[in-house]
Amino acid sequence: MDIMVKNEKLKTWIKEVADMCRPDAIHICDGSKKEYDGMMAMLIASGSAIALSKRPNSYLFRSDPSDVARVEDRTYISTTSKDEAGPTNNWIDPASLKATMKNLYNGCMKGRTMYVIPFSMGPIGSPIAKIGVEISDSPYVVVNMHIMTRVSSKVLELLGADGDFIPCLHSIGAPLEKGRKDVQWPCAPIESKYISHFPEENLIWSYGSGYGGNALLGKKCLALRIASAMARRESWMAEHMLILRLTNPEGRQYHIAAAFPSACGKTNLAMMKPSLEGWKCECIGDDIAWMKIGPDGRLYAINPENGFFGVGPGTSYSTNAMAMDTIKENTIFTNCALTDDGDIWWEGMTDDLPSHLIDWKGRDWTPSEKAEAAHPNARFTAAAAQCPVICKDWENPAGVPIDIFIFGGRRGSVVPLVYESLSWEHGVFLGATAASETTSANIGAVGNLRRDPFAMKPFCGYNMGDYFGHWLAMGEKLGGKAPRIFYVNWFRKNQDGKFLWPGFSENSRVLKWMCERVDGRAGADESPIGLLPKRGDLDLSGLDIARDDFEELMKVDSAEWHAEIPDIEAHFSLFGGRLPDSLKDQLTALKKRLG
Ligand code: GTP
Ligand code: SPV
Ligand code: MN
């Protein structure tokens, strides 16, 4: 340890954590391929990982059935005052939360190795990057962090003796008694899981879960919850957004950042293959955007991540071919089904169902089975660099200038395919009132409609009312250079419960209209909720969609929108005095337009 760790704060922290958690050994990670291969060999030997004979250098993990997604109910923003965390976050005061968690951490790594993972969010050494160090007792976390972030001993060199970093403490919460055989996926029961953030001291403590955003602490915990609080203090933005570059047939580039809630289409849009002739889409990021105002006054976005932790089910060569090609090799799969010839499978991957599988719980599965073979939140972890349409500028520290923001969600009814905001303030109102049906990316009910402002309800590290204010303030700074704001819903259904819009590649038609709006080349009709494409404005050439279906898809039903108002009012009333006046004005104006 002394050889590599020169940083005083890090040395002290490692010692403190080791004294509290009492691991059998400490391993300082260097991010090398040798380290990755060694960890995988160990994970295969212990029965935690299965090497996939059909995919080079790829592995399947099966989690405990209780530990399959983020745990929003057990996620805390721990600020000195409850008001600072705000009405959309769980809160416990820092002293009592730390006391509770210290009790849990006490001796929690006995029988295990404590891994120290130095990582960079953003390219190592770039001025916009942030350094984190995750301490974890999960080797699964180590191999995933290798892909999702830049893990390297260079990060330690960069820290030097007195550089600063964000400490991210993680334990699966399952000490291993001497002589006991480990289980395949050790973790703690739900009631002792805690995913805690202390934004006032840029500190993360996670306990009890080994899955996804609960455990890979660079992602939601650092790059969204902690970073959003930093961004507000420092006048930038940390958002739950994909970033893409769209190029039209004339070669003009547009950069788009879109915020959809978890499992609502970011990865798919980020690497879409436009169905429209001559249009090209390149991926810059699929989940998180950090944005700063550049010297020219425009807003520039970078993707702080190094990989994709993407939803498996529904991903296929017909829906997202670029993702399928990204995960051909060097990929970690979690909670997918296993085929008899040593590959993975999930619902929606192929038209024909395999005749036999081992399901995500390790049991035999045949098509007559009612239960899914893969968990609905089964995921792949793959390096962004493996994506065939990764943009050549995806690691450019200057970022890309954003032309268009899109908000959206999963709404079976009410919300049309696309509309444009009337102004920046109205766009912020659309973000602030965004609603979506819940998905299996979180432990809890699926399909319940909830307000998920800016797709940040689970990820905002401070009072959401102040966050709305921050968006308004950024708009004022950007002035005429602010991105245009649109709202989309790919998920409207007909009376038979079928999607009215084909989605995926065909979403390029909607993006085309947005680009033409930016250039002042496409028309729009005013409606009470915003600007809708006029008949003929959306390029539907070659698309087989019945006229009635299209009308249903675009319909703005005044009675249905009236019915939204009480829920928006209840949502806004949560924020009390922290709700910006201009959002109250927007609500008043919407009511007036609805008549
Ligand atoms: P997180 O990684 O949880 O943040 O999710 P995400 O926003 O990246 O969602 P993702 O792109 O992985 O999509 C989630 C699910 O929605 C998958 O099953 C997709 O197949 C499906 N989906 C994505 N885009 C569309 C679309 O345009 N239409 C329809 N009908 N389904 C879509
Ligand atoms: C999400 O839930 O929005 C994800 C997956 O991107 S996780 O990393 O588990 O948060
Ligand atoms: Mn996400």
Side-chain angles (χ1 to χ4, degrees):
M1 174 174 124
D2 289 339
I3 315 163
M4 290 173 73
V5 180
K6 302 264 191 288
N7 185 275
E8 288 305 323
K9 173 178 164 180
L10 182 54
K11 269 203 268 195
T12 310
W13 184 57
I14 293 172
K15 182 164 184 327
E16 268 172 30
V17 173
D19 288 348
M20 175 167 70
C21 301
R22 300 200 292 287
D24 283 8
I26 299 178
H27 174 106
I28 313 282
C29 297
D30 62 12
S32 64
K33 183 172 183 317
K34 185 167 163 242
E35 180 174 88
Y36 185 92
D37 292 345
M39 303 276 286
M40 274 301 183
M42 190 184 82
L43 284 159
I44 291 167
S46 72
S48 291
I50 297 166
L52 297 167
S53 47
K54 278 288 191 142
R55 280 182 206 243
N57 192 32
S58 298
Y59 307 88
L60 172 65
F61 288 80
R62 295 185 192 124
S63 80
D64 188 90
S66 70
D67 198 27
V68 292
R70 286 184 296 98
V71 283
E72 292 179 13
D73 286 349
R74 309 291 313 165
T75 298
Y76 295 87
I77 301 297
S78 181
T79 40
T80 320
S81 89
K82 184 175 194 305
D83 207 30
E84 186 51 34
T88 58
N89 283 312
N90 300 312
W91 177 87
I92 299 176
D93 84 83
S96 65
L97 181 55
K98 281 185 179 170
T100 303
M101 291 190 74
K102 275 183 185 166
N103 259 331
L104 294 166
Y105 280 133
N106 190 6
C108 71
M109 294 186 186
K110 277 185 196 164
R112 303 195 181 277
T113 297
M114 172 176 128
Y115 299 96
V116 178
I117 314 164
F119 65 95
S120 177
M121 298 309 288
I124 296 174
S126 115
I128 33 159
K130 303 254 177 264
I131 291 179
V133 179
E134 177 160 351
I135 290 185
S136 174
D137 53 4
S138 162
Y140 169 85
V141 163
V142 177
V143 287
N144 275 273
M145 286 293 284
H146 266 233
I147 298 174
M148 292 306 297
T149 73
R150 283 109 174 154
V151 176
S152 168
S153 41
K154 277 196 220 126
V155 171
L156 292 181
E157 280 166 37
L158 207 64
L159 270 184
D162 54 6
D164 203 9
F165 64 94
I166 298 167
C168 311
L169 174 54
H170 172 250
S171 172
I172 52 176
L176 189 59
E177 276 170 46
K178 276 217 165 51
R180 272 274 182 95
K181 194 178 159 5
D182 208 358
V183 294
Q184 188 180 285
W185 184 279
C187 64
I190 184 84
E191 63 281 3
S192 48
K193 290 189 196 338
Y194 286 88
I195 318 298
S196 304
H197 308 74
F198 305 92
E200 290 158 347
E201 47 181 321
N202 291 343
L203 174 68
I204 299 162
W205 279 11
S206 165
Y207 183 89
S209 167
Y211 203 89
N214 300 333
L216 312 176
L217 301 186
K219 196 174 176 62
K220 306 300 180 170
C221 298
L222 192 162
L224 285 178
R225 298 196 191 96
I226 294 294
S228 63
M230 292 173 116
R232 172 197 171 211
R233 295 192 292 264
E234 299 163 5
S235 283
W236 52 284
M237 306 171 95
E239 300 296 333
H240 190 202
M241 288 180 169
L242 68 94
I243 312 165
L244 66 84
R245 169 181 291 170
L246 197 64
T247 308
N248 76 8
E250 291 77 49
R252 160 132 159 72
Q253 292 180 350
Y254 305 82
H255 294 99
I256 301 180
F260 308 147
S262 303
C264 291
K266 289 182 302 301
T267 301
N268 278 267
L269 192 65
M271 45 188 87
M272 176 211 19
K273 264 171 84 174
S275 58
L276 292 172
E277 190 71 26
W279 288 73
K280 189 167 94 176
C281 171
E282 292 162 276
C283 175
I284 292 155
D286 83 325
D287 200 50
I288 299 178
W290 284 355
M291 293 174 284
K292 289 188 179 164
I293 298 178
D296 62 357
R298 299 183 69 193
L299 190 63
Y300 285 80
I302 69 141
N303 166 17
E305 300 193 275
N306 190 57
F308 309 126
F309 184 61
V311 176
T315 307
S316 70
Y317 271 100
S318 59
T319 58
N320 191 352
M322 295 303 107
M324 293 300 283
D325 281 345
T326 304
I327 60 176
K328 271 183 176 161
E329 54 185 355
N330 314 317
T331 301
I332 297 171
F333 295 93
T334 309
N335 288 343
C336 305
L338 177 67
T339 66
D340 292 347
D341 60 353
D343 200 359
I344 47 88
W345 189 86
W346 49 62
E347 277 67 22
M349 182 188 275
T350 52
D351 290 337
D352 300 327
L353 301 180
S355 58
H356 178 260
L357 295 164
I358 304 295
D359 75 3
W360 70 278
K361 289 182 173 169
R363 304 169 308 191
D364 283 307
W365 185 96
T366 53
S368 62
E369 201 80 43
K370 271 198 218 64
E372 283 116 342
H375 187 276
N377 192 40
R379 298 231 171 206
F380 54 78
T381 318
Q386 289 189 179
C387 179
V389 289
I390 197 76
C391 180
K392 67 172 181 5
D393 282 322
W394 85 280
E395 292 185 285
N396 184 343
V400 295
I402 298 300
D403 301 286
I404 291 168
F405 275 139
I406 310 177
F407 303 128
R410 193 181 276 271
R411 290 289 302 257
S413 60
V414 183
V415 180
L417 176 67
V418 59
Y419 58 109
E420 184 183 350
S421 69
L422 302 165
S423 63
W424 179 268
E425 289 75 17
H426 182 235
V428 173
F429 175 79
L430 299 185
T433 55
S436 192
E437 290 146 21
T438 51
T439 67
S440 46
N442 174 45
I443 302 262
V446 171
N448 284 359
L449 188 67
R450 69 168 183 185
R451 299 283 153 193
D452 185 351
F454 296 83
M456 282 289 275
K457 183 189 179 292
F459 309 120
C460 184
Y462 60 102
N463 188 303
M464 182 73 83
D466 293 347
Y467 169 91
F468 298 161
H470 182 51
W471 264 84
L472 292 164
M474 290 301 290
E476 261 171 45
K477 288 204 179 90
L478 288 160
K481 291 176 176 166
R484 294 274 274 266
I485 301 179
F486 296 82
Y487 198 99
V488 302
N489 177 26
W490 313 139
F491 301 95
R492 199 169 192 172
K493 289 179 175 168
N494 67 11
Q495 277 161 350
D496 305 329
K498 290 232 165 70
F499 290 121
L500 286 159
W501 178 248
F504 305 106
S505 302
E506 306 298 358
N507 294 335
S508 58
R509 299 171 187 275
V510 175
L511 302 190
K512 177 184 174 186
W513 178 69
M514 294 175 185
C515 296
E516 290 178 349
R517 288 292 297 161
V518 166
D519 291 343
R521 289 193 281 138
D525 268 337
E526 282 207 25
S527 87
I529 64 166
L531 301 167
L532 272 81
K534 280 205 292 281
R535 181 173 294 281
D537 283 333
L538 263 190
D539 183 347
L540 299 178
S541 55
L543 185 67
D544 187 18
I545 181 165
R547 206 190 167 88
D548 286 356
D549 280 350
F550 189 68
E551 271 175 15
E552 180 69 22
L553 181 67
M554 294 305 297
K555 194 172 77 186
V556 178
D557 183 295
S558 167
E560 284 176 347
W561 280 92
H562 267 293
E564 291 280 299
I565 301 290
D567 192 63
I568 295 177
E569 283 171 339
H571 167 60
F572 273 2
S573 74
L574 292 176
F575 303 102
R578 301 239 189 180
L579 185 74
D581 284 339
S582 106
L583 292 184
K584 289 181 209 159
D585 297 344
Q586 285 296 331
L587 179 57
T588 308
L590 171 63
K591 283 196 230 170
K592 219 164 133 195
R593 290 194 302 268
L594 284 169

